[in-house]
Amino acid sequence: MSWDAVNIAIATARAEVAAAAPDAATAVEGDAYVMRILTTCLSDAFLGHLMTEGGFSRALPTRGGPNPDYRMAFAGLDPARRYRLEGWLRDSERVGIGTYVFGPGGSSDISAYAAFHAGNVGEGGHFALDIAADATGPGSLPILPGARSILVRVLHRDPQGEPARLVLTGGPAVRDLTLAQGNTEAALGQVAAALVGSIRTFLEWSAVTSAAANGFHAETPQMQQGVQGDPDTIYYLGSYALAEGEHLEVTVPAGIPGYWSLHAYNHWCESLPGAGIGDNACVTEPDGSIRMAIGPQPDGDAPNRIDTLGRRRGALIFRAIGAGSVAVPQTSSRRDRE
């Protein structure tokens, strides 16, 4: 019976994605997208023993416009328990730690949050949090009503460096080969529900990003609460929709302090390998602004390039951490050079 539920969920997800596809090529990629979400759901239900280290499970970056600069992990929370998180920043730039209320499709609402960077860690890059329903004061993170998960975002862009190390204690002992929900039938039920929930949630994201064709939403879209995984981050959502021989030129304003990035995705908000530019690797204009060309063959005079790997349609997500306020990136469609 539970395999029947999974098969029904797969058929439902494929049909809804196909119906939402704006063109044939995007529909083909959408079918593969459904299979990648299914793979993630199966991993969550059946491979937890292979994905867990230091009390956290590694999050597979397949849903909802993941930031390629992040390494993410999560753990369930029981408000009756007391947890201790020990961390070492090492060569990472930042570690954001939050408790969340999660919806059935994977969208998240922030409950409580703490962040660590070179300016607020101790000797050897060490930091720690006590996590409990009654936790108060510095060095603590409360488990507020409704929060059932802790999610970690490690900003790590040094390919030669060691990423931050995290150890969470206080949770139940992990038993080898234990299935999510305790048995196969229940685990498959989780897979079916998570697949359809994820697809429906992020179809909304695809629709929102696409509504700002060749530009960014100047105002916060209705889905902002689900996007706002980190309260210190400013997000602008948009899309590229290019004709043959076109690219999109985007200008990011000068003077953004700290981390910022602009990444391109396919229409289904899946990350494209290497399709991004950030504050750590960009060429600036004389006035300090950053001009970049985005497209399948971004052949303009902008000194920075984001290659969409053959795609003329997809999502764009701009992020800035701790900047306070940032002007909306400016865009214009340009013809490629002949």
Side-chain angles (χ1 to χ4, degrees):
M1 181 64 69
S2 50
W3 268 118
D4 291 341
V6 172
N7 287 331
I8 292 170
I10 293 171
T12 299
R14 294 177 77 180
E16 293 186 9
V17 166
D23 54 49
T26 307
V28 170
E29 191 163 40
D31 207 41
Y33 160 62
V34 172
M35 295 301 108
R36 284 188 281 267
I37 298 295
L38 172 63
T39 300
T40 298
C41 296
L42 287 166
S43 175
D44 290 345
F46 292 97
L47 295 178
H49 63 293
L50 297 178
M51 304 291 287
T52 301
E53 181 179 357
F56 286 100
S57 295
R58 183 162 62 92
L60 296 177
T62 59
R63 297 179 172 105
N67 186 346
D69 295 332
Y70 281 156
R71 298 181 179 214
M72 300 179 67
F74 66 93
L77 289 179
D78 180 347
R81 289 180 174 269
R82 304 188 67 83
Y83 301 85
R84 175 76 171 173
L85 188 151
E86 299 271 350
W88 294 264
L89 189 62
R90 300 203 288 200
D91 296 315
S92 296
E93 298 172 53
R94 183 178 187 271
V95 177
I97 303 161
T99 57
Y100 295 83
V101 178
F102 276 87
S107 61
S108 58
D109 293 340
I110 303 169
S111 182
Y113 203 84
F116 298 94
H117 49 79
N120 68 349
V121 294
E123 185 177 354
H126 178 260
F127 56 91
L129 286 173
D130 291 314
I131 304 169
D134 60 355
T136 59
S140 66
L141 195 68
I143 304 176
L144 300 177
R148 293 295 180 268
S149 295
I150 181 169
L151 185 62
V152 173
R153 291 173 168 84
V154 177
L155 177 57
H156 186 84
R157 295 185 289 181
D158 181 356
Q160 306 303 320
E162 288 188 287
R165 179 172 177 247
L166 300 167
V167 177
L168 181 70
T169 56
V174 177
R175 293 177 294 169
D176 289 345
L177 306 180
T178 300
L179 300 180
Q181 310 298 328
N183 60 71
T184 300
E185 294 295 308
L188 287 172
Q190 172 184 304
V191 170
L195 173 61
V196 174
S198 294
I199 292 297
R200 288 177 175 170
T201 294
F202 298 116
L203 280 178
E204 296 179 14
W205 290 39
S206 297
V208 168
T209 56
S210 297
N214 288 329
F216 293 86
H217 289 281
E219 299 178 356
T220 302
Q222 188 175 4
M223 57 181 261
Q224 177 70 10
Q225 181 65 23
V227 173
Q228 191 79 38
D230 181 330
D232 297 328
T233 302
I234 295 169
Y235 298 85
Y236 286 122
L237 309 178
S239 72
Y240 55 97
L242 303 169
E244 185 76 25
E246 279 188 341
H247 66 271
L248 184 67
E249 186 170 291
V250 177
T251 302
V252 173
I256 301 173
Y259 172 89
W260 66 263
S261 67
L262 175 62
H263 287 99
Y265 301 80
N266 69 8
H267 176 77
W268 310 110
C269 298
E270 292 185 289
S271 180
L272 302 178
I277 290 175
D279 62 281
N280 65 329
C282 63
V283 178
T284 60
E285 298 289 302
D287 65 356
S289 64
I290 299 94
R291 248 186 342 125
M292 58 197 82
I294 301 173
Q297 293 178 323
D299 186 19
D301 62 357
N304 304 284
R305 302 281 195 274
I306 295 179
D307 187 350
T308 59
L309 307 180
R311 296 164 182 81
R312 299 195 176 279
R313 183 190 302 273
L316 298 171
I317 302 180
F318 172 86
R319 301 171 173 90
I321 297 179
S325 64
V326 177
V328 181
Q330 299 301 299
T331 61
S332 61
S333 299
R334 301 289 180 89
R335 296 297 303 176
D336 295 339
R337 290 180 293 194
E338 297 297 334

